Amino acid sequence: MRVCVATTVHHPEDARITHRQIRALLDAGHEVTFVAPFTHCNVTPSPGIRAVDVPRAVGLHRSRALRASSSALRRATRDADLLLVHDIELLLTLPRRRPPTVWDVHEDTIAALDAKSYLPGPLRGVLPPLIRAIESRAERRLHLILAEEAYRARFPGPHPVVPNHTYVPPTPPPPPGDSRVVYVGHISAARGAAEMIEVARRLRPYGIRLDLIGPADAAVRPMLRDAQREGVLDWFGYVPNRHALRMAEGALAGLSLLHDLPNYRQSTPTKIIEYMARGIPVVTTPLPNAASLVGRVDCGTIVPFGEAGAASGTVADPVAGAASDSASDSVADAVVRAVLRLRDDPERRAEMGARGYVEALNHYHWPAVAGDFVALLERWAEAPGPVSALSPGRTVPA
């Protein structure tokens, strides 16, 4: 099977696209053409794929990327058996003559608008009905796969879920240390950039450093650079996922301080599963799925959402503390307490790390579901109609 995979929004080394889905297709013996912004991201295409370079769609500057992707998709799909796209914008540029086409729904697009600081106010009112129209048309004409169970509610028809699982090492990783806290993933205001910087400042007198591993939104880059110049944290920028997770191993704790926004409420942050897979205790804000997972497995600590959380007492750490004047201060207070408790209790943090690792190995290991994903695409390549190959409610995998 010859598969054309396309994105203009995501990094060409995106973990879900490249290191899970494309790798699974290549391992199964299929050919892959990858349309992606290689030059913009300074990425050398991986061996074994046919790379097609396009500009990257960033912020409000997307028209050039869309024009280029329209032409690239026409060329790249001429001999393809299946087209797999990862951006809602690409649904506007699909070739009229194309193979069976799949849209991988990564997020709740409308809910995600709240976290896009670059959008001007007027657009926030115009975009939701346009997005709904695009999604409705896509559901009628394309195959859909969903990254989260919660996304089923957005679409009337049944669609399989291909979850954001990760690669879990076959042997237990090293136990958590006592001098380093990590964050892996994209950095933005909504993902807790200000709170993490404040945490780093407060942990510095205790000899504990914060490693931030991931790219950052333009709005928060100046504050990250300033904090790095002060010597309170190390910001490594973009690192391919497989290398970033190896860098994270042995950390005292992994942070997931996402804000209480609609797009985050219905998702399980992938970084939490990645921390668990590497034996790292988790410190997370109380998003429903995150709090449920961490609480059930007992592999970390739940801290509040800013002032509102602190005022209501929504803190898993039993050490009480007065709410600070700012939201970031109140979160930082709880995170620092949680980290220091872990530092002072090696047995507790080792047990948390071990429990998280076992849970990830048993229930969140990508190779256990990769075969189902490939088989699904193979069936759709043979049956062009946009009808789900799975019965309602079924997940790939279970």
Side-chain angles (χ1 to χ4, degrees):
M1 180 173 67
R2 292 164 295 187
V3 182
C4 177
V5 180
T7 181
T8 60
V9 173
H10 299 280
H11 195 284
E13 289 276 353
D14 180 86
R16 177 175 175 86
I17 299 172
T18 301
H19 298 295
R20 295 174 198 143
Q21 295 184 1
I22 289 181
R23 177 174 167 182
L25 289 165
L26 293 175
D27 288 347
H30 298 301
E31 299 177 20
V32 174
T33 297
F34 190 16
V35 178
F38 294 99
T39 298
H40 182 279
C41 297
N42 195 28
V43 169
T44 300
S46 302
I49 69 166
R50 184 176 127 200
V52 178
D53 190 33
V54 292
R56 192 175 192 184
V58 179
L60 296 175
H61 306 289
R62 296 174 182 249
S63 58
R64 178 169 171 260
L66 291 178
R67 288 195 300 270
S69 67
S70 177
S71 175
L73 287 176
R74 283 197 302 271
R75 297 193 308 272
T77 57
R78 284 173 186 162
D79 61 350
D81 300 304
L82 189 83
L83 171 61
L84 172 59
V85 298
H86 290 270
D87 317 334
I88 190 170
E89 294 92 335
L90 288 181
L91 303 183
L92 303 174
T93 66
L94 295 178
R96 182 171 299 177
R97 300 185 65 179
R98 62 180 185 270
T101 301
V102 182
W103 174 32
D104 185 357
V105 183
H106 284 226
E107 63 181 4
D108 183 333
T109 312
I110 294 175
L113 296 177
D114 288 341
K116 300 185 186 301
S117 58
Y118 59 82
L119 285 177
L123 269 182
R124 295 180 185 274
V126 171
L127 286 176
L130 175 61
I131 291 170
R132 290 190 192 97
I134 294 172
E135 291 181 341
S136 177
R137 178 183 173 90
E139 186 174 28
R140 294 193 305 270
R141 298 178 175 227
L142 311 177
H143 301 285
L144 271 60
I145 57 178
L146 315 178
E148 293 276 353
E149 284 283 348
Y151 298 166
R152 292 190 191 279
R154 292 170 49 200
F155 301 97
H159 303 288
V161 174
V162 176
N164 268 327
H165 290 180
T166 188
Y167 289 95
V168 184
T171 57
D178 62 3
S179 62
R180 186 171 59 100
V181 175
V182 300
Y183 171 90
V184 177
H186 193 91
I187 306 168
S188 67
R191 294 170 184 261
E195 292 86 343
M196 290 191 291
I197 292 171
E198 184 60 27
V199 166
R201 288 198 176 100
R202 298 187 186 199
L203 288 176
R204 185 182 183 188
Y206 296 97
I208 300 172
R209 291 188 64 79
L210 171 62
D211 287 350
L212 299 178
I213 309 171
D217 281 357
V220 302
R221 287 174 203 155
M223 68 173 69
L224 293 173
R225 294 190 189 105
D226 289 345
Q228 184 155 262
R229 290 190 190 104
E230 292 175 32
V232 299
L233 56 79
D234 289 313
W235 175 35
F236 293 91
Y238 180 81
V239 177
N241 185 257
R242 60 190 185 279
H243 301 311
L245 296 179
R246 283 200 291 269
M247 291 170 61
E249 286 186 355
L252 170 60
L255 303 183
S256 179
L257 306 183
L258 278 67
H259 291 186
D260 187 17
L261 295 176
N263 191 40
Y264 300 150
R265 289 183 201 131
Q266 58 186 327
S267 302
T268 301
T270 304
K271 61 177 54 59
I272 289 180
I273 296 171
E274 291 173 336
Y275 297 151
M276 292 166 59
R278 300 293 166 152
I280 303 169
V282 178
V283 177
T284 178
T285 46
L287 293 164
N289 290 354
S292 175
L293 175 59
V294 172
R296 175 176 59 81
V297 180
D298 189 15
C299 61
T301 303
I302 303 164
V303 297
F305 291 121
E307 289 175 318
S312 63
T314 314
V315 185
D317 193 305
V319 178
S324 300
D325 290 337
S326 72
S328 61
D329 283 350
S330 62
V331 174
D333 287 340
V335 173
V336 169
R337 291 197 303 272
V339 170
L340 293 179
R341 287 173 65 86
L342 288 170
R343 183 202 62 173
D344 295 338
D345 194 340
E347 183 177 355
R348 179 170 177 252
R349 70 174 184 260
E351 290 173 350
M352 282 184 168
R355 284 192 292 266
Y357 168 75
V358 170
E359 178 73 11
L361 184 63
N362 289 338
H363 300 289
Y364 297 98
H365 189 34
W366 167 253
V369 309
D372 288 333
F373 162 72
V374 172
L376 179 66
L377 296 193
E378 290 171 342
R379 290 198 295 273
W380 279 343
E382 296 172 358
V387 179
S388 175
L390 300 179
S391 59
R394 181 169 172 190
T395 301
V396 178

